[in-house]
Amino acid sequence: MSRRNRQPAATAATPCPCGLPAPYGDCCAGLHRGESAAPTAERLMRSRFSAFAVGDEAYLLRSWHPDTRPAEVDFDPGVHWLRLEIHSTTEGGPFHQEGTVDFTAHYSDRGTPDALREHSRFVRHDGAWVYLDALPPA
């Protein structure tokens, strides 16, 4: 299985995959390039979804807590990330140390629509928000 994501590349002018009403260049691209940091857990979640959509393994690994981070991200070339739906958040603001984001990531797997529902936990590590893990289903 190839680790390379074969989805169309996002350009600065294309809509950002994270779902916010801004072009990729004004939204998640700066986070992906390390020019800025996500101010909230939700913003980090959105930027990580965009990183999956554009195949940015380096950003995904940088934004993953070192205690739970894998050695690599194995992108499936048949999976195309389509849309992110945020259901709820707890804490995760500029003055918090941890937070959660409950979301559904919509994708197609070799043309078949599907979705991943997850309640993710985020914490601050060295001052920056990082993804820690998924909470067990309630």
Side-chain angles (χ1 to χ4, degrees):
M1 180 185 307
S2 171
R3 287 181 46 233
R4 308 282 296 157
N5 188 338
R6 303 207 190 288
Q7 295 190 137
T11 67
T14 59
C16 193
C18 81
L20 292 176
Y24 175 69
D26 294 335
C27 195
C28 289
L31 296 169
H32 292 173
R33 290 189 302 262
E35 296 167 357
S36 59
T40 65
E42 179 183 339
R43 191 69 184 89
L44 182 69
M45 177 62 240
R46 289 181 178 280
S47 69
R48 287 178 54 81
F49 177 84
S50 289
F52 273 105
V54 302
D56 190 339
E57 180 183 37
Y59 180 76
L60 289 166
L61 294 175
R62 267 194 331 273
S63 62
W64 212 311
H65 194 281
D67 291 347
T68 57
R69 176 176 46 224
E72 62 186 23
V73 177
D74 192 14
F75 293 107
D76 183 334
V79 171
H80 297 279
W81 297 98
L82 304 171
R83 175 173 67 87
L84 179 64
E85 182 180 356
I86 303 292
H87 302 293
S88 66
T89 63
T90 60
E91 297 190 338
F95 303 107
H96 296 117
Q97 294 301 308
E98 58 185 56
T100 66
V101 179
D102 181 21
F103 69 92
T104 300
H106 298 269
Y107 63 96
S108 69
D109 186 354
R110 289 158 186 76
T112 302
D114 208 343
L116 167 71
R117 176 84 186 251
E118 185 174 302
H119 195 168
S120 294
R121 189 164 50 149
F122 298 87
V123 296
R124 290 214 186 249
H125 180 73
D126 293 337
W129 283 111
V130 293
Y131 170 77
L132 181 62
D133 58 14
L135 294 168

